[in-house]
Amino acid sequence: MRAHDQAPKLHRTGTHLKKSSNAKWCKKASFPRDLPNISLIFIFVNEALSVILRSVHSAVNHTPAHLLKEIILVDDYSDDEQLKGPLEDYVNKRYPGMVKIVRNQKREGLIRARIEGWKAASGEVTGFFDAHVEFTPSWAEPVLTRIKEDHKRIILPSIDNIKHESFELERYENSGHGYNWELWCMYINPPKQWWDDGDTSAPIRTPAMIGCSFVVNRDYFGHLGLLDSGMDVYGGENIELGIKVWLCGGSMEVLPCSRVAHIARMKKPYHSNIASSTRRNALRVAEVWMDHFKSHVYLAWNIPMENHGIDYGDISQRVALRKSLHCKNFEWYLDNVYPEMRRYNNTLFYGEIRSSKATHLCMDQGEKVNHTATLHPCHGMGPQLGRYTKEGQFFLGALGSTGEETRCLMDDQVSNFPQLLNCDKVSNTRLTTWHFSQNESIVNRATGRCLEVIQANVYFGHSLVLQTCSGQRWSIKNTMKQ
Ligand code: UDP
Ligand code: MN
């Protein structure tokens, strides 16, 4: 889900989620009959007709009739003929008067598709879903109760998985929704307070949303400026909404007692390179909302902060929105809503690290088990994302969010190869620090040995070694501007 095609593992970092069971608590809950009604909005591109219909049937079957205002299907310019007449005929016959179909005249992307659905909605509350989800009984009542109590809450039903090969339901652990600095979303452990309170049916505070399922008061969503319509295709809007609602006076939470299951597809029936639009969208979020922490997004994507050549479009209206809503600053959000998020304020230089001796090769994480940095033809992706800090440490690897720090370089005084490990665990920290500035040598502060490149029969004809300094120089692609 929301899986980055190249790196789906990023989205499942919540592997250390503790076990929790909330079934018995949820059954006890009772809800007022008088709740706000809801419009359910599904967006799709070339989704299988049968899958859309499963979503619609389960919505009708499991949402109390007096609360279901309507169902809106937004066709984001599909070309599958089944989704034209046949879809329309079926739903009109089966659910007369219940289903509105909105057709985009060109491919707008999921962000603007959701906005089109919202425009067509007339319910007091709007629920947004991928068109391959299934609802469980009583999914709606707890959600609408929380919104009735406070219309500034954005509510995320808990997501379970429908296995795409068998349609088998797989229950996921209770979790919040977080993200890394590239703004790819992922499940995260619920806050410590939630565990300490011991009520696994209680709402889970969440810094952002995965995005395949969220419910919000219709007018309040409009007041918040909906999603950022300047974003294209996919990704980033889910993080923007989380940041925005928290900074501008509302909140976002996952409800363990409301469960919606989602099919995580292997292959998307649109656009093969979503990363380029997600990156562009992420820069919009960074520039509008993140104040000086925007540097972290540039760092994570390995983009220079100036002259990067990426056209992220006009953000003036979003900046004006932030001002008009009198929103707090991003540091408040990190301190109070996403304290687990790792900060990288100590970065001086970032990007690929190259030696003057072999400029086509870059320092690379190599195999984790070898605990040593290596050389590899430059590509600038995760394993080659280097970082030199104010403290004088070198890190290599994609930025995490809440997990372990990326590994760092050490001279262990014995080996001729630089070690790559978790430097927090090294007692003699001087062994992990280095003298360096752009186009200078890399010199270990404890041993005085230099990191250099020699000719060898490994790593593309070269090897990375620690030796007596011979004057080799290094550069790191980007310089941080705070
Ligand atoms: N979508 C859309 N227009 C697009 C791309 C995606 O309407 O250009 C819809 C898609 O049909 C789906 C939702 O956006 O209902 C989310 O996409 P997807 O399910 O592929 O993302 P995932 O759940 O894997 O993150
Ligand atoms: Mn989906």
Side-chain angles (χ1 to χ4, degrees), residues 37-53:
N37 64 16
I38 184 166
S39 301
L40 300 181
I41 298 160
F42 299 89
I43 57 169
F44 62 90
V45 178
N46 292 333
E47 192 80 46
L49 175 60
S50 60
V51 169
I52 299 183
L53 293 178

Side-chain angles (χ1 to χ4, degrees), residues 4-234:
H4 175 352
D5 291 344
Q6 289 83 33
K9 284 199 205 94
L10 273 180
H11 298 259
R12 290 257 168 271
T13 53
T15 44
H16 20 259
L17 298 179
K18 299 180 204 167
K19 284 265 174 210
S20 61
S21 151
N22 43 274
K24 79 173 187 289
W25 294 84
C26 294
K27 277 202 191 117
K28 278 196 207 147
S30 65
F31 304 101
R33 201 184 137 73
D34 173 26
L35 288 168
N37 64 16
I38 184 166
S39 301
L40 300 181
I41 298 160
F42 299 89
I43 57 169
F44 62 90
V45 178
N46 292 333
E47 192 80 46
L49 175 60
S50 60
V51 169
I52 299 183
L53 293 178
R54 287 174 73 110
S55 301
V56 171
H57 291 317
S58 83
V60 174
N61 291 344
H62 297 311
T63 311
H66 72 286
L67 299 178
L68 181 56
K69 172 80 191 191
E70 68 205 342
I71 290 174
I72 296 168
L73 302 177
V74 183
D75 173 5
D76 192 19
Y77 201 58
S78 303
D79 40 36
D80 182 351
E81 284 306 318
Q82 286 286 311
L83 303 177
K84 309 290 170 195
L87 169 67
E88 225 157 302
D89 293 345
Y90 187 95
V91 294
N92 288 339
K93 205 160 147 205
R94 179 80 187 256
Y95 303 115
M98 167 70 83
V99 182
K100 283 187 199 167
I101 301 184
V102 176
R103 306 233 187 235
N104 288 345
Q105 294 311 304
K106 61 178 174 45
R107 182 69 48 80
E108 297 288 357
L110 82 85
I111 296 104
R112 290 190 292 275
R114 291 213 157 106
I115 293 173
E116 287 308 311
W118 178 85
K119 288 184 192 159
S122 60
E124 190 174 337
V125 171
T126 41
F128 296 85
F129 303 92
D130 289 3
H132 39 258
V133 299
E134 293 185 24
F135 299 83
T136 58
S138 322
W139 79 275
E141 294 90 328
V143 174
L144 297 171
T145 302
R146 292 291 290 171
I147 293 177
K148 184 183 157 90
E149 284 165 14
D150 178 353
H151 75 283
K152 293 183 175 174
R153 286 179 183 144
I154 297 181
I155 308 292
L156 318 180
S158 291
I159 302 167
D160 291 315
N161 186 36
I162 299 174
K163 294 187 183 168
H164 66 91
E165 62 293 20
S166 61
F167 280 69
E168 195 185 326
L169 185 69
E170 176 188 17
R171 190 185 164 100
Y172 279 166
E173 289 300 331
N174 289 320
S175 54
H177 301 184
Y179 53 92
N180 62 17
W181 284 109
E182 285 173 296
L183 309 194
W184 291 110
C185 57
M186 61 184 74
Y187 294 107
I188 57 172
N189 210 349
K192 184 172 178 302
Q193 187 66 50
W194 184 85
W195 290 107
D196 290 350
D197 291 347
D199 175 1
T200 52
S201 71
I204 301 168
R205 187 197 69 197
T206 185
M209 62 178 194
I210 299 272
C212 62
S213 150
F214 67 99
V215 184
V216 54
N217 174 284
R218 179 171 56 99
D219 289 343
Y220 181 60
F221 193 32
H223 168 78
L224 277 180
L226 306 170
L227 302 171
D228 177 0
S229 62
M231 290 184 181
D232 295 332
V233 189
Y234 174 104

Side-chain angles (χ1 to χ4, degrees), residues 212-365:
C212 62
S213 150
F214 67 99
V215 184
V216 54
N217 174 284
R218 179 171 56 99
D219 289 343
Y220 181 60
F221 193 32
H223 168 78
L224 277 180
L226 306 170
L227 302 171
D228 177 0
S229 62
M231 290 184 181
D232 295 332
V233 189
Y234 174 104
E237 85 297 341
N238 49 342
I239 313 304
E240 193 245 17
L241 185 62
I243 294 170
K244 180 169 61 178
V245 71
W246 282 109
L247 288 185
C248 312
S251 65
M252 187 176 269
E253 66 192 34
V254 176
L255 273 193
C257 291
S258 168
R259 306 202 75 96
V260 173
H262 168 268
I263 305 178
R265 300 179 292 189
M266 288 303 285
K267 203 173 166 307
K268 295 179 190 301
Y270 54 89
H271 222 294
S272 55
N273 180 17
I274 55 169
S276 69
S277 32
T278 302
R279 183 177 72 168
R280 177 186 173 282
N281 295 346
L283 294 185
R284 292 180 68 85
V285 180
E287 290 291 338
V288 174
W289 296 102
M290 292 189 171
D291 309 322
H292 63 277
F293 287 96
K294 72 181 180 186
S295 61
H296 288 51
V297 176
Y298 286 86
L299 162 60
W301 282 100
N302 189 11
I303 301 169
M305 294 193 63
E306 283 166 356
N307 302 320
H308 48 67
I310 299 168
D311 178 6
Y312 55 72
D314 179 5
I315 55 166
S316 58
Q317 286 181 18
R318 304 309 282 181
V319 172
L321 173 76
R322 177 176 177 180
K323 211 165 163 213
S324 74
L325 293 175
H326 304 292
C327 308
K328 297 189 181 77
N329 65 42
F330 193 70
E331 189 158 22
W332 175 90
Y333 166 91
L334 285 182
D335 289 344
N336 293 282
V337 185
Y338 203 5
E340 307 90 339
M341 186 60 150
R342 196 177 275 276
R343 304 184 195 188
Y344 297 92
N345 293 320
N346 60 353
T347 306
L348 292 177
F349 309 116
Y350 63 98
E352 302 95 296
I353 307 177
R354 292 168 204 255
S355 155
S356 53
K357 177 93 184 217
T359 52
H360 63 297
L361 297 180
C362 283
M363 216 189 286
D364 194 287
Q365 269 191 332

